[in-house]
Amino acid sequence: MHEVGASWLMTTLAPSPFMVAMVQTATTLPFFLLALPSGALADIFNRRRLLLFAQIWMLCVSVVLGILTTANFTTPLILLFFTFFLSLGAAINAPAWQAVIPELVHQDDMPAAITLTSVGFNVARVAGPAFGGIVISAIGTGATFILNGISFLGVIIVLKFWRREQKKNMLPEERFISAIKTGIRYVKNAPQVQSVLVHTIFFAAFSSSLWAFLPIIAQKDLGLSSFGYGILMGLFGMGGLSGAPLLHWLRNRISLNLLVLIASNTFALAILSLAYVRSIALLGIIMIAGGIAWLILLSVFNMAVQAVIPAWVRGRVLSVYLLIFFAGMSIGSFLCGTIATWIGISKTLTIMSLFLVASAFFTWRFKLSSGAGLDLTPSQHWPVLAVSSEPETDEGPVLIIVEYCVDPSQSKEFIQAMKALKMIRRRDGAIKWNLFHDIANPINYTESFIVESWGEHMRQHERMTVSDQEIWGLARSFHTGSEPPLVKHFIAEGSVN
């Protein structure tokens, strides 16, 4: 409702392509600015309370904007200002909202739950714009903003009565800045997550052209009223609804990468059609096809990232995913508005559709994973450390050394296995990692890695999953000694620093 209200109001207040595109930028920019902090908050604080705060924030912003608009005080800058602040609440809300899905359903039901979430979003895309268009026509844009604010009450009530199960942890909560750095480090050492991000940023940047120019084309070129524009948006959402069963059918028959390629090209065709098609009926059919492609792409990207990340870092990785998506949308919307000022909307849409097709083929080599065969539950296999005195959790840095004896004939296979283990060590908290070879005795190898603090090393123990343990077990299988690999822990002596 806010999207159709804000876009339509801007076409009335300042009907230039740049200003209309800036509504999309104001909507997406907060996700770029707050994604990482929001993801850290979602992992280290109570997600239920965080969601409640975000919903109350958005309620207040929407109602105030509605009152200002009803009183005819809203200017283009005020509209962009409040749209930005409304999206700040949405940016805080988004990582926690996505991260609670695994708390509500079993792992086997995750793909269906994510698809259902996307379906719910597209139900809103059907009902919201159509209802918003009716409200704008009947009683004005201000009322649309106020009703949007009131709608947050439903979510607030549900969250108020949700009794979230709290998992006990003997370690203190991670510190905010450290949690952000840990999330970034995880993504840098998770190739499966990086593949999703590459697909996401290209799609978001070039697909943003449709959202940037649809309002002004609907009003100026098609001669639609606010109600007609709402119906057009509703048809897009209807396509998303019909795409849900189609997605389930397609996932069982073709690979995720081929599915993304087909859907990306379909969405590119929708963007190109928007540039030249002026038949409302035909454009409505094209919007349905675009809605199907949109749901398939966002659902596949979301499933692909959630399928490969464990619970302890879920909020932070999802925040990076949202950061990439909305950064692409913000940059794309800004570029679209700027380019259209020089060469016009139709040529800009044509260029963006061609770039989207090219990017779909470019990203083909970044393979998406369905998570099949991964067990992301904590392995809890670490033995209790025998120490003379337990260090404080903030003491550090900590140096861990693991000594292996390896048959020289298997050294290549051992080094390959250690490369996979290196990624796990770095991903779960190591700030440095090395593998050393004894030049005097070729059977001796020493693995070393440094962690910021003793508490962070203890968290490393909790973070290793069952699938990670299998990789660790493979590396250990090359050890030929009669005893397990020798592990030593050293903590920095602060008095000599």
Side-chain angles (χ1 to χ4, degrees):
M1 288 178 65
H2 176 86
E3 189 173 328
V4 69
S7 298
W8 193 259
L9 181 59
M10 186 60 82
T11 62
T12 303
L13 297 173
S16 71
F18 179 78
M19 290 303 293
V20 175
M22 284 300 292
V23 173
Q24 185 70 21
T25 300
T27 301
T28 55
L29 184 59
F31 288 88
F32 177 75
L33 298 175
L34 284 187
L36 291 176
S38 299
L41 291 173
D43 280 335
I44 65 179
F45 290 124
N46 186 298
R47 288 172 184 164
R48 174 177 167 273
R49 292 178 181 175
L50 192 63
L51 289 169
L52 276 170
F53 168 79
Q55 297 293 320
I56 293 170
W57 171 276
M58 290 187 286
L59 183 154
C60 295
V61 172
S62 295
V63 170
V64 171
L65 176 60
I67 293 171
L68 290 175
T69 304
T70 302
N72 294 321
F73 289 139
T74 300
T75 65
L77 288 180
I78 288 176
L79 178 60
L80 292 175
F81 178 85
F82 275 89
T83 297
F84 179 84
F85 271 84
L86 181 65
S87 287
L88 282 180
I92 295 171
N93 180 82
W97 188 277
Q98 295 285 346
V100 299
I101 295 176
E103 297 183 38
L104 304 174
V105 299
H106 189 270
Q107 180 68 27
D108 294 340
D109 296 323
M110 278 283 290
I114 292 170
T115 303
L116 186 59
T117 302
S118 299
V119 169
F121 179 77
N122 281 282
V123 168
R125 278 214 174 272
V126 173
F131 184 58
I134 294 172
V135 173
I136 293 170
S137 299
I139 51 178
T141 310
T144 305
F145 297 145
I146 292 173
L147 287 173
N148 178 50
I150 293 172
S151 73
F152 290 109
L153 284 173
V155 187
I156 292 169
I157 292 170
V158 171
L159 289 170
K160 186 69 176 175
F161 287 96
W162 175 33
R163 293 294 171 256
R164 179 173 180 256
E165 182 181 350
Q166 286 288 100
K167 295 182 179 180
K168 295 182 179 180
N169 193 333
M170 300 302 293
L171 293 171
E173 295 288 354
E174 295 178 70
R175 293 179 179 176
F176 181 65
I177 300 299
S178 177
I180 292 176
K181 291 193 293 185
T182 300
I184 295 172
R185 187 185 303 121
Y186 186 97
V187 172
K188 287 174 64 178
N189 292 278
Q192 293 173 320
V193 173
Q194 292 169 11
S195 293
V196 180
L197 300 183
V198 171
H199 282 271
T200 301
I201 192 164
F202 279 104
F203 173 70
F206 301 130
S207 67
S208 64
S209 56
L210 184 142
W211 304 114
F213 296 132
L214 183 60
I216 199 166
I217 288 175
Q219 185 185 60
K220 299 296 183 183
D221 296 342
L222 300 178
L224 295 176
S225 65
S226 57
F227 176 71
Y229 171 60
I231 292 297
L232 205 58
M233 290 287 289
L235 290 173
F236 187 92
M238 189 178 296
L241 284 177
S242 57
L246 182 62
L247 172 61
H248 177 73
W249 183 83
L250 289 172
R251 283 187 67 247
N252 293 329
R253 286 161 178 80
I254 61 177
S255 69
L256 293 182
N257 291 277
L258 181 57
L259 186 55
V260 167
L261 181 65
I262 295 170
S264 295
N265 283 290
T266 301
F267 201 86
L269 183 60
I271 294 173
L272 184 63
S273 301
L274 187 64
Y276 301 105
V277 174
R278 293 300 176 258
S279 166
I280 298 175
L282 181 56
L283 193 57
I285 295 172
I286 292 168
M287 291 297 289
I288 292 174
I292 294 173
W294 178 266
L295 176 126
I296 288 174
L297 287 162
L298 293 196
S299 296
V300 168
F301 294 157
N302 203 317
M303 283 187 284
V305 73
Q306 294 235 34
V308 297
I309 51 176
W312 68 268
V313 76
R314 190 176 300 277
R316 279 164 281 188
V317 175
L318 287 170
S319 73
V320 175
Y321 164 71
L322 292 170
L323 167 66
I324 293 297
F325 180 81
F326 285 104
M329 292 286 283
S330 295
I331 295 168
S333 297
F334 179 80
L335 288 176
C336 285
T338 304
I339 295 170
T341 303
W342 292 95
I343 64 174
I345 291 175
S346 295
K347 290 181 180 179
T348 303
L349 287 168
T350 302
I351 291 171
M352 290 298 171
S353 66
L354 293 175
F355 276 141
L356 182 56
V357 171
S359 69
F361 286 97
F362 169 76
T363 56
W364 174 260
R365 60 195 179 99
F366 296 92
K367 301 301 181 185
L368 300 176
S369 172
S370 64
L374 282 179
D375 187 343
L376 299 176
T377 56
S379 64
Q380 299 179 335
H381 74 288
W382 291 88
V384 177
L385 292 176
V387 293
S388 58
S389 62
E390 183 76 15
E392 297 292 330
T393 56
D394 59 352
E395 285 190 70
V398 179
L399 169 66
I400 300 94
I401 290 176
V402 188
E403 298 177 353
Y404 303 87
C405 295
V406 179
D407 187 333
S409 65
Q410 293 187 306
S411 61
K412 289 184 178 180
E413 292 82 358
F414 171 71
I415 292 172
Q416 196 63 33
M418 292 302 289
K419 287 181 180 178
L421 185 60
K422 170 190 176 180
M423 197 167 293
I424 293 172
R425 303 288 201 208
R426 294 295 302 265
R427 196 186 62 196
D428 288 357
I431 56 177
K432 290 185 179 179
W433 184 97
N434 282 290
L435 181 65
F436 297 94
H437 183 208
D438 188 344
I439 57 176
N441 190 347
I443 71 168
N444 291 337
Y445 285 84
T446 298
E447 176 196 10
S448 73
F449 56 98
I450 297 176
V451 185
E452 286 183 341
S453 67
W454 183 253
E456 189 68 3
H457 180 51
M458 292 297 98
R459 292 187 186 98
Q460 271 191 309
H461 292 191
E462 295 181 344
R463 291 167 180 170
M464 183 164 277
T465 67
V466 172
S467 291
D468 294 339
Q469 187 186 356
E470 293 173 0
I471 295 173
W472 165 223
L474 175 62
R476 288 188 61 175
S477 69
F478 292 98
H479 177 69
T480 58
S482 57
E483 297 292 330
L486 181 62
V487 182
K488 298 178 181 180
H489 296 78
F490 300 86
I491 197 159
E493 187 58 61
S495 59
V496 297
N497 288 342

